[in-house]
Amino acid sequence: MPKESPNLAKDFYTIVYEIVEQIPFGRVTTYGAIANAIGSKKSSRLVGIAMNHSHEIAPNLPAHRVVNRSGILTGQHHFLGEKSMIKLLTDEGLTIENNHVQQFEHIFWDPLNEL
C-alpha cells in the first residue's frame, strides 16, 4: 500500500479544520457529515484522525463539537481535565447523558446544507 503524501494529508486536514471552525456554538456535527461535505463520503475515519491531531495542529479548534453519527462522544479521551469534551459541550448548553448528546437531531449541524 503506498504511503500517504504529507502534502495530501495536510491539505485534507486543512479543509476539515476550516469546516470545524464554522460549527456554531451549541451545535454539533459528525465525522461523516464533514467527510460528505468535502466530497469524500467514505473518509469519516480520516476526519476522525484529523480531529485527533487537531489538539497539536490547531489547539483552538472547536473539535469537541464533532461526534459520531449517533451523537456519541467517541473522541472524548482526547480532551483532558478542564477541557473535557463533556464540560466544553455542557458549557455551550448541550445536555450529555451516558456520553451521548441529547436531542442530537435538533442540534445537528450539517455543513453540506449550512455552508
Side-chain angles (χ1 to χ4, degrees):
M1 179 181 287
K3 283 188 140 187
E4 187 175 283
S5 161
N7 290 335
L8 177 62
K10 182 178 181 221
D11 292 343
F12 184 87
Y13 285 17
T14 299
I15 294 166
V16 168
Y17 296 162
E18 287 173 354
I19 291 174
V20 173
E21 286 175 339
Q22 297 179 63
I23 305 169
F25 184 91
R27 306 280 301 274
V28 294
T29 195
T30 65
Y31 306 106
I34 294 170
N36 194 35
I38 63 176
S40 189
K41 196 172 190 173
K42 295 185 179 190
S43 297
S44 58
R45 286 187 185 202
L46 188 53
V47 170
I49 293 169
M51 299 315 307
N52 293 345
H53 290 289
S54 70
H55 301 286
E56 306 145 11
I57 299 169
N60 295 322
L61 194 71
H64 63 283
R65 297 180 187 150
V66 183
V67 298
N68 84 355
R69 67 181 175 199
S70 301
I72 297 172
L73 313 184
T74 53
Q76 71 175 326
H77 59 280
H78 295 285
F79 297 84
L80 305 172
E82 285 295 312
K83 296 201 177 214
S84 79
M85 192 172 190
I86 292 173
K87 180 172 179 2
L88 293 168
L89 290 171
T90 56
D91 286 351
E92 293 188 19
L94 280 67
T95 302
I96 310 298
E97 291 180 10
N98 297 320
N99 300 319
H100 188 266
V101 176
Q102 300 302 294
Q103 298 182 337
F104 174 66
E105 59 282 348
H106 297 292
I107 59 168
F108 173 71
W109 181 79
D110 188 348
L112 192 60
N113 295 328
E114 302 288 339
L115 297 177

